[in-house]
Amino acid sequence: MSRVLLSLLPLALVGAAPPAPVPAFTPEAFRAHVLFLSDDLLEGRDTGSRGHEIAARYVASQFEGLGLKPGGDNGSWYQQVTFQQTRRGETPGTLTLSGSRAGGKWTHGKDVLIGVNPREAKTDLSAPIVFVGYGIADKSLGIDDYAGLDVRGKIVVALNGFPKGMPSEVGAHLSSAKDEAAAERGAVGFLSVDTKLSAETRPWTVRQRYADGARFSWIGKDGQPHVEGTGLRATASVDDTVATALFAGAPQTLDQVRAEAEREGGRPKGFPLAGTVRVTASTVSERLTSPNVVGILPGADPKLAPQVVILSAHLDHIGISKPRPNDPPNKDRINNGALDNASGIATMLEVARAFTTSSDRPRRTLVFLASTAEEKGLLGAEYYAHNPTVPLASIVADVDLDMPLLLYPFTDVVAFGADHSTLGKVVADAAKPMGISLSPDPMPAENIFVRSDHYRFVQQGVPAVFLATGYANGGEAAWKAFFDKAYHQPADDMNQPIDWNAAARFAEVNYRITRALADADEAPRWYQGDYFGNLFAPDAPKAAR
């Protein structure tokens, strides 16, 4: 969606005031927030749960105690979001290949993982299949994997990921938009096939672990669940057994296609595949509500106060894991989410405290957003970005705080998205006095740029970054160990060796960043020629690199 950002808003003509003194940040205050939010009594803060409601009330009470103004619905602290929760029905989904030299039938959970369609209670779809390379299409980049292919009324088969050598954040965005690209061209289904890289990055066994979770969708003004690529009736991921069968008798084998994908800049071309695929699935759904919590600190400068800087962090986590066979009776199954993302909320609360107790109020208005349903697909932030409680055109920046790894004395930070706008320089300059450097994305294969709440603001044309602790000074080993042993597991709790001094330091650097954004004479701008600025904010003023 295009939007005019700064041209509708006045820019400050006054000179820069002396920098405000930095308030003190204490390990004890930070720890107190995490201690409460990650307590077993909150049962992992799952979206729509009693534990999440308690957490939301905690954040709202903190906002009120700090003297913020309510920024939710009807003068409240809460923006209530209605969700549809869609689960698999009693009959397991199936994928059947017929009319090919290598037919077969596979059931969800083993060799195929069939997606949940929130708009169909029962799906029974049969259609021819077409391989579409990576399934990417973008006019500005001169890429159209659908060129010369007729996919109307057909099921497309596409490789996971994006071509080697493509900028990781652009590739991550295009990967997330594949369903839409297919639907726009008349496809009715979408099957994903691994490349060598995608199989290594996210092994099939890991995907199986999360294959039976419910799908959440927020409800739009039309009363229907919000779904991108709504023309698609069926989606699925397939393992090598099924993928090999799909390519039986094709102009190229699966191995040849993957070899081309391994090449730098390699983009396998599409072609029709033999046979017909039938996908069956059933779902049951229910509706529930869960709140975003919103606090506002009005700006002090009459000229800049209409402009808004958002500091966001997600409040939800993934709740209680289902028991597994042979689990001991006393096995801990509560996913407390101490670092993901009680630590981000604690950072936001401490930054809010610092601003409200400072003698120098920010020139721009600050919005503190504790979002829900991030773990369900960035849905609370997406809902807020589509239904903001301040004018969309007034939002000039978002800084998102998600899972800072506070297990070591970090010396660098990563601002995912920093290369696209002047926000990157703001982060670097604000962190420098603390001896903290700004590092590039250390894990581009993880597609982090599209996996946190800031991306929902980017899609609305707002310059945004997601800030995390970096790989320096032991960070790389800490990140890898956390992903292996604690990420989305009960081990992400207060028993971890959390470095509370690092936590206070992380809160301080975020205060400095937010203060710089709030008080600068000019708001952040997309860079000239930037992919995301051109795509989502083509009419906004741009900055030279």
Side-chain angles (χ1 to χ4, degrees):
M1 177 185 295
S2 66
R3 63 194 289 273
V4 178
L5 185 59
L6 300 181
S7 59
L8 299 180
L9 299 169
L11 294 176
L13 300 177
V14 298
V22 177
F25 292 86
T26 67
E28 294 79 10
F30 197 109
R31 183 180 185 277
H33 297 308
V34 178
L35 183 66
F36 182 90
L37 293 170
S38 64
D39 193 280
D40 279 359
L41 290 176
L42 273 67
E43 299 182 332
R45 308 187 307 277
D46 201 3
T47 301
S49 71
R50 183 173 182 270
H52 183 271
E53 291 290 334
I54 294 171
R57 279 157 178 73
Y58 177 82
V59 172
S61 70
Q62 294 291 315
F63 283 172
E64 185 162 357
L66 293 172
L68 299 181
K69 292 188 175 183
D73 300 327
N74 303 316
S76 76
W77 296 106
Y78 310 107
Q79 182 187 48
Q80 295 292 345
V81 186
T82 301
F83 294 101
Q84 178 172 300
Q85 179 180 237
T86 309
R87 300 184 181 275
R88 300 184 187 281
E90 293 183 2
T91 305
T94 62
L95 186 149
T96 305
L97 174 63
S98 59
S100 168
R101 66 171 66 169
K105 183 176 181 178
W106 300 274
T107 301
H108 166 80
K110 186 179 179 182
D111 296 309
V112 299
L113 304 176
I114 297 174
V116 170
N117 186 342
R119 294 198 172 192
E120 285 192 21
K122 290 188 181 297
T123 298
D124 190 344
L125 172 67
S126 295
I129 49 178
V130 181
F131 175 58
V132 294
Y134 281 105
I136 288 173
D138 187 281
K139 289 182 179 180
S140 68
L141 298 176
I143 296 176
D144 186 359
D145 289 343
Y146 290 86
L149 299 174
D150 178 11
V151 300
R152 291 189 177 278
K154 298 175 184 178
I155 297 172
V156 301
V157 178
L159 297 172
N160 283 322
F162 50 88
K164 284 190 173 183
M166 178 177 284
S168 62
E169 293 179 347
V170 173
H173 161 73
L174 292 172
S175 291
S176 72
K178 288 183 182 183
D179 284 7
E180 296 172 67
E184 287 172 0
R185 288 157 178 80
V188 293
F190 192 101
L191 306 182
S192 300
V193 173
D194 269 326
T195 61
K196 181 181 178 181
L197 177 61
S198 68
E200 292 172 351
T201 303
R202 190 168 173 79
W204 187 255
T205 53
V206 173
R207 280 175 266 181
Q208 286 176 308
R209 191 184 308 162
Y210 301 104
D212 289 323
R215 177 175 178 177
F216 279 66
S217 310
W218 54 269
I219 303 302
K221 294 179 180 179
D222 60 356
Q224 295 297 314
H226 178 80
V227 179
E228 303 292 350
T230 54
L232 296 181
R233 296 185 55 207
T235 61
S237 297
V238 304
D239 74 355
D240 281 6
T241 299
V242 182
T244 300
L246 294 175
F247 278 82
Q252 289 183 304
T253 67
L254 179 60
D255 286 343
Q256 289 172 324
V257 166
R258 284 177 170 163
E260 171 64 12
E262 279 295 294
R263 189 175 60 82
E264 189 76 9
R267 283 181 42 221
K269 294 187 179 300
F271 42 77
L273 296 170
T276 297
V277 161
R278 179 187 181 192
V279 179
T280 66
S282 64
T283 64
V284 293
S285 63
E286 61 180 325
R287 295 198 174 182
L288 53 87
T289 60
S290 186
N292 291 324
V293 189
V294 190
I296 299 176
L297 181 61
D301 187 320
K303 293 182 178 180
L304 294 183
Q307 299 181 13
V308 174
V309 174
I310 294 182
L311 193 65
S312 59
H314 75 90
L315 182 59
D316 64 303
H317 195 51
I318 62 172
I320 301 175
S321 299
K322 294 180 180 179
R324 296 183 179 181
N326 303 318
D327 275 352
N330 62 343
K331 181 177 175 61
D332 181 10
R333 295 187 290 108
I334 298 175
N335 299 285
N336 303 89
L339 294 177
D340 185 16
N341 185 40
S343 63
I345 292 291
T347 304
M348 183 182 69
L349 291 174
E350 284 302 286
V351 172
R353 177 194 58 77
F355 273 104
T356 57
T357 57
S358 172
S359 58
D360 294 304
R361 301 300 282 257
R363 297 173 70 192
R364 289 183 176 83
T365 295
L366 301 181
V367 167
F368 299 93
L369 171 65
S371 63
T372 186
E374 189 271 353
E375 302 288 5
K376 311 302 183 186
L378 320 182
L379 298 183
E382 183 178 50
Y383 183 86
Y384 187 90
H386 280 79
N387 303 276
T389 58
V390 295
L392 178 62
S394 72
I395 303 172
V396 299
D398 169 66
V399 177
D400 190 54
L401 310 169
D402 187 357
M403 202 174 75
L405 206 64
L406 305 172
L407 300 173
Y408 61 102
F410 71 94
T411 58
D412 68 326
V413 292
V414 177
F416 297 94
D419 294 339
H420 303 292
S421 73
T422 56
L423 265 178
K425 187 176 187 307
V426 173
V427 172
D429 290 348
K432 188 175 181 179
M434 295 180 64
I436 297 172
S437 60
L438 178 63
S439 296
D441 181 355
M443 37 188 161
E446 293 286 345
N447 295 344
I448 299 294
F449 182 67
V450 300
R451 289 173 53 190
S452 202
D453 282 344
H454 74 290
Y455 179 62
R456 298 310 187 194
F457 291 96
V458 169
Q459 289 177 303
Q460 298 302 312
V462 178
V465 292
F466 154 39
L467 205 72
T469 48
Y471 264 26
N473 202 38
E476 182 175 6
W479 274 102
K480 290 180 178 178
F482 179 80
F483 276 125
D484 182 48
K485 299 177 180 178
Y487 175 66
H488 283 192
Q489 298 177 59
D492 182 12
D493 61 12
M494 291 293 287
N495 293 317
Q496 298 173 97
I498 298 174
D499 185 335
W500 298 110
N501 289 313
R505 187 169 165 82
F506 189 73
E508 180 180 337
V509 72
N510 276 282
Y511 169 80
R512 289 173 179 265
I513 292 166
T514 308
R515 170 64 75 176
L517 291 171
D519 290 351
D521 289 342
E522 287 195 357
R525 297 188 181 191
W526 295 100
Y527 283 128
Q528 292 175 0
D530 179 75
Y531 175 84
F532 293 99
N534 289 345
L535 179 64
F536 294 121
D539 299 325
K542 305 296 194 299
R545 286 189 182 272

